[in-house]
Amino acid sequence: MSALPALVLGGGIGGLAAALALARQGCRVRLYEQGSELKEIGAGIQLGPNVYRMFELLGLTAAIERWSAHPQNLVMMDALTGEEVTRLPVGSEAFRKRFRGYPYGVIHRGDLYQVLLEACRAEPGIELNEKRKGLDFEDRGERVVLKMEGGEAIEGACLIGADGLWSKVRARLLGDGKPRVSGHIAYRAVLQRAEVPDDLWQNNVVLWAGPKTHLVHYPLRRGELYNLVAVFHSDKYEEGWDVYGDTGELNRKFEHERPEVKRLLEKIDVWKMWVLCDREPARHWSRGRVTLLGDAAHPTLQYLAQGANMAIEDAAVLAACARISGFDWERAFRDYEDARYKRTARVQIMSRYYGDAYHAAGVVRELRNDILGGAPDFEAMAWLYDGIALPQSKT
Ligand SMILES: Cc1cc2nc3c(=O)[nH]c(=O)nc-3n(C[C@H](O)[C@H](O)[C@H](O)COP(=O)(O)OP(=O)(O)OC[C@H]3O[C@@H](n4cnc5c(N)ncnc54)[C@H](O)[C@@H]3O)c2cc1C
């Protein structure tokens, strides 16, 4: 193994998971995060059985279980009529049994982040650096040089761009322009348990599907908090991240929907707004000793609730490929990309389809309700929730 550390740019969920997975394989890692503190903003994250498998591999199951909660069902409601469209009993024994004992969970982003951060801090091979912004890199064949704001140049054995949707590493590596603005806007908020009317509180992930809108809610932190995500179509916004939203516009978008939906929306005074973006799937996102991971590699709309799940799967696969290649980074990154591109592309594409189904209007809405209205089908989600097998050494 090279005497130089692996460099990770970006300390989000993907960057921390990558640092941890590599360190668990005996690799030294230096991570650089531009933020002033290593922390995660936002609200809830849903965790599929596929990512619980990764937590097990990373030795994080007990820590995650301290913070995550397990909803009983994923429920889709028609936001115009109040009829239940479908219900997947993800809290049932049958679900766990089908997915090899792994559950479905929800967790506060901050809690997931803290679990990863503490695990990284406990690894002597990981150096975490805050308030450090990467601007560019150079691949010199036998090493990479990461160029930081302020002029510093940091040498590493390789570079993993885990720098999110607006990745600078991707811009330099692939040069494929800005992400695609979907025209969908998400507002997110968290309520305290006491603020939620009793008749609207339930231990389910509930999605109210309306024409060009949807609202998702579920309890977090074992029922202390209630997570809300409201999405609507609007072409008013170009791009942006984590800005305060206009509740007037939000309420107008949902004005023809069920009272349950409007009563929850009224509870919120401070919403933050996200302009949702994705990209067309890419076949390649590595070159030489540089690769991408998480949203930098395959940004997706959140309609399958899998972006962070995919970033964590990426991390585990990348670390396995590094070990198998004997830390020959060029080979490891090719193998990693080969192992990941189809699965992550499927998530990107299927997320768009799910978004269309949630936001259907007119006859399409009626058809959606008919098609989804049958008995719950775990097999429909098996391609995703069955998860992945890690690459194995061929010798
Ligand atoms: C409304 C919504 C709901 C979602 N719900 C779910 C869900 O339920 N389940 C799920 O799995 N996913 C969900 N996601 C997706 C998930 O949030 C993302 O896919 C995931 O956070 C991506 O992690 P990442 O580490 O790749 O990128 P990011 O979280 O974007 O992290 C990138 C990090 O890199 C840093 N950075 C950027 N540029 C630089 C630079 N030049 N130098 C240094 N540092 C830099 C940033 O500050 C940031 O900390 C949701 C997303 C949205 C918008």
Side-chain angles (χ1 to χ4, degrees), residues 88-353:
L88 197 67
V90 292
S92 66
E93 268 312 303
F95 181 86
R96 274 205 193 212
K97 206 165 151 211
R98 169 61 190 82
F99 295 107
R100 288 181 280 185
Y102 298 109
Y104 197 93
V106 293
I107 192 166
H108 194 287
R109 277 168 180 270
D111 297 338
L112 170 59
Y113 195 78
Q114 206 54 37
V115 167
L116 289 167
L117 188 59
E118 278 170 22
C120 284
R121 285 190 173 138
E123 280 289 342
I126 300 179
E127 181 189 299
L128 298 170
N129 301 280
E130 301 161 8
K131 293 194 215 165
R132 306 288 292 281
K133 183 172 183 174
L135 295 182
D136 200 358
F137 66 85
E138 215 180 290
D139 186 343
R140 294 196 180 151
E142 80 302 347
R143 63 185 61 201
V144 290
V145 179
L146 176 59
K147 298 178 179 172
M148 308 301 288
E149 195 173 61
E152 193 186 353
I154 297 157
E155 294 204 337
C158 65
L159 172 65
I160 297 154
D163 48 343
L165 181 66
W166 301 97
S167 169
K168 284 202 159 34
V169 180
R170 181 180 184 119
R172 182 75 200 307
L173 202 63
L174 305 186
D176 57 352
K178 288 180 172 183
R180 184 190 73 108
V181 176
S182 67
H184 301 184
I185 309 300
Y187 277 53
R188 291 154 122 187
V190 177
L191 292 175
Q192 297 295 321
R193 167 71 184 92
E195 296 172 281
V196 184
D198 281 342
D199 62 314
L200 298 181
W201 196 94
Q202 46 180 306
N203 185 23
N204 292 320
V205 176
V206 181
L207 184 146
W208 293 86
K212 296 188 177 177
T213 66
H214 78 263
L215 171 71
V216 174
H217 52 79
Y218 53 85
L220 276 179
R221 286 229 175 105
R222 302 193 173 275
E224 287 165 38
L225 305 173
Y226 214 51
N227 185 55
L228 296 177
V229 184
V231 176
F232 59 83
H233 291 203
S234 173
D235 51 16
K236 228 165 89 177
Y237 307 95
E238 258 304 294
E239 58 194 49
W241 181 255
D242 190 27
V243 287
Y244 288 95
D246 162 13
T247 47
E249 182 185 24
L250 175 74
N251 289 323
R252 276 194 303 282
K253 296 283 180 178
F254 287 84
E255 68 188 343
H256 301 298
E257 300 192 2
R258 290 284 301 174
E260 297 91 320
V261 173
K262 290 194 278 190
R263 279 169 63 213
L264 278 173
L265 294 185
E266 279 161 14
K267 289 275 161 199
I268 314 289
D269 5 279
V270 184
W271 287 92
K272 283 190 176 174
M273 186 187 90
W274 277 256
V275 178
L276 301 172
C277 299
D278 68 358
R279 284 185 185 272
E280 294 307 321
R283 170 62 183 92
H284 297 288
W285 62 68
S286 309
R287 198 167 57 231
R289 289 172 173 258
V290 183
T291 195
L292 303 173
L293 181 141
D295 278 6
H298 39 69
T300 178
L301 299 179
Q302 84 285 10
Y303 301 131
L304 278 175
Q306 279 282 332
N309 288 238
M310 286 300 114
I312 296 168
E313 282 189 3
D314 282 352
V317 172
L318 185 142
C321 292
R323 174 181 46 79
I324 292 166
S325 72
F327 299 92
D328 169 348
W329 293 105
E330 297 196 20
R331 191 182 131 202
F333 289 167
R334 274 198 308 275
D335 293 347
Y336 150 69
E337 173 185 283
D338 286 350
R340 295 299 292 156
Y341 79 95
K342 276 196 203 152
R343 178 164 171 83
T344 53
R346 190 163 176 182
V347 169
Q348 288 174 292
I349 297 305
M350 291 306 289
S351 294
R352 290 183 187 169
Y353 282 121

